[in-house]
């Protein structure tokens, strides 16, 4: 609910393309700084309190945010309000939850087929009805007509697929640092800092560079950096934490941070000023759907490869519960409880299986990001000659709102 409002404010306040690109870059950098503080604060809390305490940290943050909002923002309610209907969000939620649940259930060993097919069919039907409703409703929740603008389509693609990869892989990265390398939650959070710090630095820089070189250069370049980072992680998956891993995290953070800033700017400039809220809502939905599906699909890929690869010596296999092959967390927990040669065998088998699955997931992430970069580059290349210059002219002539006229 917050993200579309903040992006809409930026779209309405900044009319100069360079200023707007830089402002959205700063907006993306602030989001990256939150991503930097989050894992570190979470690790610190987990080191001293029970796991549920990570939710309580939001209370003082929300209190401070509410104070600032009421102090700094002026509430402007439009005279003519668009009608709102409740059917679309219900269909969207049912469709998303049903599809994600079906994917997770299919990857989980021991799940009955009905646990996959029933929610999957319900989710697909609800998602189809949602899309049909958005196309035919006079006041849609998501204005899909905005996708007619190529700049907007490119922005959505560049916002969705990289987030799909980044969020889905971050969970595997945190598990690798803790269960394989042996870092505590606090140490893992500190080790991950180079990635969001790189994103923090790259976001406003990419916003400035995009106004000079265009999205056809910045987006593929950023995705290329991220793909190299994932390839580097795949190559060094069986090694301990090192400068190589830190370098890969910097490449991933800088690549994703720069692309996210430019994609947000492309989305907001691809829509007319009076549709800023609608464009920002699609930006938010793209991010959340990409993140949710990334966790579900890449997590399911990781779980499936891990379970398939997990193998114990024949002498200990009968003494180990089946749930050891569900995840490395389950295996390590069992190993700590057993504390014998069997426990050591579980730990070794779990780490070997996890490293293999981790490498497969990293390679998959690199492929997805690289393919996205190639597709976006080809789409922009096939555009009419002078497309970039025409867009810049159209953005410079962005009409001012009535109040400023």
């Amino acid at each position: 609910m917050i993200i579309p409002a903040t992006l809409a404010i930026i779209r309405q306040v900044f009319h100069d393309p360079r200023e707007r690109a830089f402002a959205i870059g700063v907006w993306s950098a602030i989001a990256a700084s939150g991503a930097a503080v989050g894992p570190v604060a979470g690790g610190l809390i987990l080191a001293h309190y029970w796991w549920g305490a990570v939710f309580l940290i939001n209370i003082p943050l929300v209190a401070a945010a509410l104070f600032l909002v009421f102090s700094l923002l002026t509430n402007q309610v439009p005279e003519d309000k668009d009608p709102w209907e409740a059917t679309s969000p219900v269909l969207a939620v049912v469709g998303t939850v049903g599809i994600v649940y079906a994917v997770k259930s299919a990857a989980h060993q021991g799940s009955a087929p009905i646990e996959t097919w029933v929610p999957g069919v319900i989710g697909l039907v609800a998602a189809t009805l949602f899309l049909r409703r958005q196309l035919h409703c006079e006041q849609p929740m998501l204005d899909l007509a905005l996708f007619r603008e190529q700049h907007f389509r490119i922005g959505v693609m560049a916002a969705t697929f990289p987030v799909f990869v980044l969020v889905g892989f971050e969970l595997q990265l945190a598990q690798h640092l803790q269960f394989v390398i042996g870092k505590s939650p606090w140490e893992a959070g500190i080790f991950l800092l180079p990635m969001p710090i790189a994103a923090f630095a790259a976001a406003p820089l990419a916003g400035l560079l995009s106004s000079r070189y265009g999205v056809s250069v910045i987006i593929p370049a950023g995705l290329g950096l991220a793909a190299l980072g994932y390839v580097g992680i795949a190559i060094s998956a069986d090694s301990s934490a090192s400068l190589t891993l830190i370098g890969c995290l910097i490449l991933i953070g800088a690549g994703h941070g720069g692309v996210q800033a430019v994609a947000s700017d492309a989305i907001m400039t691809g829509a007319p000023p009076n549709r800023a809220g609608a464009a920002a809502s699609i930006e938010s939905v793209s991010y959340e759907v990409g993140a949710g599906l990334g966790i579900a699909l890449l997590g399911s890929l990781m779980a499936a490869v891990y379970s398939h690869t997990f193998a114990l010596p024949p002498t200990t296999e009968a003494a180990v519960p089946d749930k050891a092959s569900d995840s490395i967390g389950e295996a390590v927990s069992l190993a700590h409880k057993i504390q014998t040669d069997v426990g050591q065998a579980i730990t070794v088998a779990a780490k070997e299986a996890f490293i293999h699955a981790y490498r497969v997931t990293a390679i998959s992430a690199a492929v997805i990001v690289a393919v996205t970069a190639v597709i976006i580059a080809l789409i922009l290349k096939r555009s009419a000659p002078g497309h970039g210059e025409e867009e810049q002219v159209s953005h410079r002539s962005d009409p001012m709102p009535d109040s400023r006229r």
Side-chain angles (χ1 to χ4, degrees):
M1 294 174 66
I2 295 173
I3 291 177
T6 56
L7 274 175
I9 290 173
I10 293 175
R11 180 68 174 90
Q12 294 289 350
V13 171
F14 295 94
H15 300 279
D16 180 79
R18 292 189 177 183
E19 290 183 353
R20 182 170 54 241
F22 183 76
I24 292 180
V26 173
W27 176 89
S28 298
I30 295 300
S33 67
V37 174
V40 178
L44 182 62
I45 291 171
L46 290 175
H48 297 88
Y49 303 100
W50 99 109
W51 69 269
V54 296
F55 298 100
L56 300 180
I57 190 63
N58 291 294
I59 296 176
L61 295 177
V62 170
L66 286 174
F67 172 77
L68 292 173
V69 165
F70 286 117
S71 301
L72 301 177
L73 293 184
T74 301
N75 191 42
Q76 298 178 349
V77 181
E79 296 180 0
D80 299 326
K81 300 180 182 179
D82 293 335
W84 185 84
E85 48 92 21
T87 305
S88 292
V90 171
L91 290 173
V93 170
V94 172
T96 303
V97 172
I99 293 172
V100 171
Y101 189 95
V103 171
K104 298 296 290 183
S105 177
H108 189 270
Q109 288 187 339
S111 297
I114 193 173
E115 294 183 61
T116 300
W117 287 105
V118 171
V121 171
I122 293 175
L124 289 174
V125 170
T128 302
L129 293 175
F130 171 78
L131 292 175
R132 286 176 56 86
R133 191 171 187 84
Q134 304 317 297
L135 291 172
H136 297 94
C137 184
E138 292 185 3
Q139 298 293 339
M141 188 178 85
L142 292 180
D143 189 359
L144 300 182
L146 293 172
F147 282 90
R148 296 170 184 165
E149 164 59 39
Q150 177 175 274
H151 213 63
F152 186 87
R153 293 196 304 269
I154 293 295
V156 172
M157 184 184 300
T160 304
F161 289 100
V163 166
F164 170 94
V165 171
L166 178 63
V167 176
F169 188 76
E170 272 184 322
L171 295 179
Q172 324 307 331
L173 181 58
Q175 291 183 57
H176 183 265
L177 290 173
Q178 294 178 66
F179 293 125
V180 176
I181 298 178
K183 292 185 176 295
S184 68
W186 161 253
E187 292 171 337
I190 293 292
F191 196 86
L192 287 172
L193 274 176
M195 185 163 59
I197 289 176
F200 178 87
L205 178 62
L208 289 175
L209 292 177
S210 67
S211 61
R212 177 183 292 269
Y213 299 105
V215 296
S216 61
V217 173
I218 302 303
I219 291 181
L223 294 177
L225 288 178
L228 287 177
Y230 290 120
V231 171
I233 287 179
I235 294 173
S236 60
D238 54 355
S239 61
S240 60
S242 62
L243 292 177
T244 301
L245 180 56
I246 292 176
C248 293
L249 294 179
I250 292 174
L251 289 175
I252 292 172
H256 282 294
V259 169
Q260 191 63 42
V262 176
S264 298
D265 182 55
I267 290 173
M268 298 310 297
T269 56
N274 63 336
R275 302 301 297 163
S281 67
I282 293 179
E283 153 92 359
S284 179
V285 168
S286 300
Y287 184 94
E288 299 299 339
V289 170
L293 291 178
I295 293 172
L297 295 176
L298 289 185
S300 298
L301 172 64
M302 182 81 181
V305 176
Y306 172 86
S307 298
H308 180 75
T309 310
F310 184 85
L312 290 165
T315 56
T316 61
E317 189 172 359
V320 178
D322 291 337
K323 63 181 181 180
S325 62
D326 286 347
S327 69
I328 190 172
E330 292 278 6
V332 171
S333 178
L334 283 171
H336 285 317
K337 293 177 181 178
I338 296 175
Q339 293 291 339
T340 61
D341 292 341
V342 175
Q344 180 65 25
I346 294 174
T347 302
V348 172
K351 287 185 177 181
E352 290 179 351
F354 184 89
I355 289 173
H356 178 68
Y358 183 66
R359 180 177 284 114
V360 171
T361 307
I363 293 173
S364 301
V367 170
I368 294 172
V369 171
V371 169
T372 302
V374 171
I375 292 175
I376 290 176
L378 290 177
I379 292 175
L380 294 174
K381 186 177 181 180
R382 291 176 182 175
S383 301
H387 179 70
E389 292 78 7
E390 290 173 4
E391 282 182 345
Q392 291 180 2
V393 171
S394 66
H395 291 162
R396 281 194 291 268
S397 61
D398 192 13
M400 292 185 294
D402 294 336
S403 60
R404 291 192 61 181
R405 287 194 191 123

